[in-house]
Amino acid sequence: MYSSSNLHEQTKNDFVKTVGLPDLAISNGANFIRHRSLSDTFSLFSNGPELLEYFPSTFTYNYSQNYKNIPSRIELE
Amino acid sequence: MKINHYLIGFAVSSLFRRGTKSLFVLFIFTALIFLLSSILFISNSIKEELNLTLDSLPQIIVQKLQAGRQTNIELKRVNKLLEFQGVQSAVPRIWGYYYFEKAGVNFSLVGIDAYDKQYKNSFANIVKNVNFDALEKTSSMVVGQGVKKALSENYYKNYFNFIKPDGDFIKVPIASTFSSKTSLESNDIILMPRSLVLEIFGMDKTKATDIVLSVANPEEIPTIAKKIKNLYPDTRVITKSDLKVSYQNIFDYKSGMFLALFVISAFTFFMIIYDKASGLSSEEKKEIGILKALGWKIDDILQEKFYEAFIISFVAFISAIILSLFFVYTLEAPILKEIFIGYSRLKPSFDLPFILDVQTIFLLFFLTIPLYLAAIIIPSWRVASMDADEVMR
Amino acid sequence: MIRCKNISKIFNVNKPNELTALKEIDLKFKEGELVILKGASGSGKSTLLSLIAALSKPNVGEVIIDEKRISKMPDNFTSLFRRENVGFIFQKYNLIPTLSAYDNIILPLIPTNPNEKQLHKRIDELLKTFCIEDKKDVLVKNLSGGEQQRVAISRALINNPKIIIADEPTANLDAKLSLDFIEIIKSLKNDATTILIATHDPLFFDLDFVDKIVELKNGEVIDVSHS
């Protein structure tokens, strides 16, 4: 536990500035769930086209849903 | 109004008289609030952690998409991007994932423009025992705590042999590790000069993973993003506000696991409530009858029942909140954190920023305590409004 | 003054097990009177007492006490009425077994948020009168029948009631304790308290200080004798 002291915050910010990548290192089971804000909808398919997301953290942890990255609306009958 | 301490005393003694039942309710209530509040505290802390560093992220990231997948972007686009009005700098980045088969782990490799002076100050802060001059001379890497651990478990104490796409080895010494304060961000990161990353990934030297832009006036970011998209229709432009949206979606407990957990525990809670509400024991009924016969008004009886229910639910609530604060922030949420860390083989320390999330506490308070009070008071009211004679029978 | 005006009490109205417990009872008791209600079990004595104490309401007729039509009053008023005017000694005492003697005795006063000093004084008096001072903190379920009854009487007297109602008070007592109880009643009678006792214990029938004996049978008054 830490209370977000300025020094602590500064260290974290310095790190993020250096690396420049978003998200936390708590989900790194596969390359498409780390830095999810930067990953694209279809990167999952590099594991296999029929795959559904199966990592526990992906149920809680979403990728960027900006307008260029909305998942496919094509629905299966 | 003067507080009637006789009535409160009677309520407390009633709770003690029904010891087993009270303990049971106390236990269930505490367990439920504890579980819910722990999860909410964790997710709030993670949000806080992300928001803490949000401002340090790049303003615009330009990726190239091909066949719906992200591919490397041509370096010559950097100059084109620099020509946009308002763009201060455009820096190509090299980064990606390296799969370490022996440990079954994905590392995040990040390249920087050699170890030059611009990093000197921040490195003093984020890297342990930094010897900057040594870093400058040799092509070595700085790794996260988790990477260090995974490597040393596989006998790579001081260096690591990366396997290039052509099968050759490339030996990179480990210069240092990142400060443990940054564990949540840096756990799986390997930082090294970009030339090394290019070699390890076997990437074309004329390409980069993505391009990072900084813009003088933040107001212009959306306009510039639109212009880039027009110039290069095959790109995906991610602005800081997009990252923000993504962060906001993180641990959105409307979805998946959280919903399931929440529904299950809420359901359990309602079952218990229903069980309690569906009737008082004959002993309790008789007691209400006796009190009424002795001249207690319905309000008096309900007031007593209210005290009883409030005392037990409030005690349970407070102890659950204290327990879960201790559990999450001191013990770092054993077992429960697995939900958040999931499959990841490189487990970061779960050293979360402490925030007393008053909103969550109020939410839980108003979701549970009034329900419990109602479940106690409504059946008591039903009994208390009958004829005393009938109830005592 | 207690006035029962043509009251009838029917249980389970319009059901196959309908039962008329009291039929057109018309009675008058004066203030300070000691009245014995006599009759076999099932004759309606207890029902009549609970109507007078407003623990239930008659189907027909009304009960008027001191010009208050208590059988027509809403629930909260009858509770208040009982708290201020009535001491009820139940047949099975109706004590709360898991509370101590002391806690049982103060029960009627709890909602009034009593003054602690006065309360202590009053309770000490009562405990002394009934010789249960040493049983003060004993749980009622661990007391003997006689002691329980004395706790019940103390509880009925704690609010200095104008009317005392006792339902088969000596049913669970031996001869000695019954005589003790009669002594208590006698001293209460001297304080000008109105006392109603339902009993089939012959011990009560030829006491010289009884004012009225009402005999009930199958829910009807068959005899009222004045002594």
Side-chain angles (χ1 to χ4, degrees), chain A residues 68, chain B residues 224-233 235-237:
Chain A
K68 297 168 207 79
Chain B
I224 292 172
K226 207 179 270 171
K227 281 184 191 161
I228 297 169
K229 183 74 187 165
N230 283 338
L231 182 65
Y232 298 115
T235 54
R236 195 164 79 113
V237 186

Side-chain angles (χ1 to χ4, degrees), chain C residues 1-3 28-31 64-67 163 194:
Chain C
M1 198 186 82
I2 302 171
R3 171 105 168 84
K28 252 186 216 177
F29 308 123
K30 287 195 207 93
E31 209 172 306
I64 304 166
I65 299 177
D66 291 339
E67 268 119 58
I163 303 165
T194 311

Side-chain angles (χ1 to χ4, degrees), chain C residues 33-44:
Chain C
E33 260 186 345
L34 170 55
V35 181
I36 305 291
L37 296 176
K38 175 178 163 182
S41 36
S43 59

Side-chain angles (χ1 to χ4, degrees), chain A residues 8-49:
Chain A
H8 223 123
E9 224 177 296
Q10 189 57 46
T11 310
K12 281 168 190 275
N13 276 306
D14 278 349
F15 177 80
V16 171
K17 201 168 259 171
T18 309
V19 175
L21 294 174
D23 303 343
L24 299 181
I26 58 172
S27 316
N28 48 28
N31 56 25
F32 57 87
I33 60 170
R34 178 72 168 115
H35 313 302
R36 285 185 71 78
S37 310
L38 296 185
S39 70
D40 57 82
T41 319
F42 300 106
S43 50
L44 170 70
F45 294 135
S46 53
N47 275 20

Side-chain angles (χ1 to χ4, degrees), chain A residues 33 36 52-62, chain B residues 249-259 339 343:
Chain A
I33 60 170
R36 285 185 71 78
L52 293 173
E53 294 200 54
Y54 52 89
F55 287 96
S57 45
T58 57
F59 287 97
T60 58
Y61 201 67
N62 287 331
Chain B
N249 287 330
I250 286 166
F251 299 99
D252 181 355
Y253 44 89
K254 274 182 206 143
S255 63
M257 211 73 122
F258 284 100
L259 188 65
I339 297 172
Y343 286 11

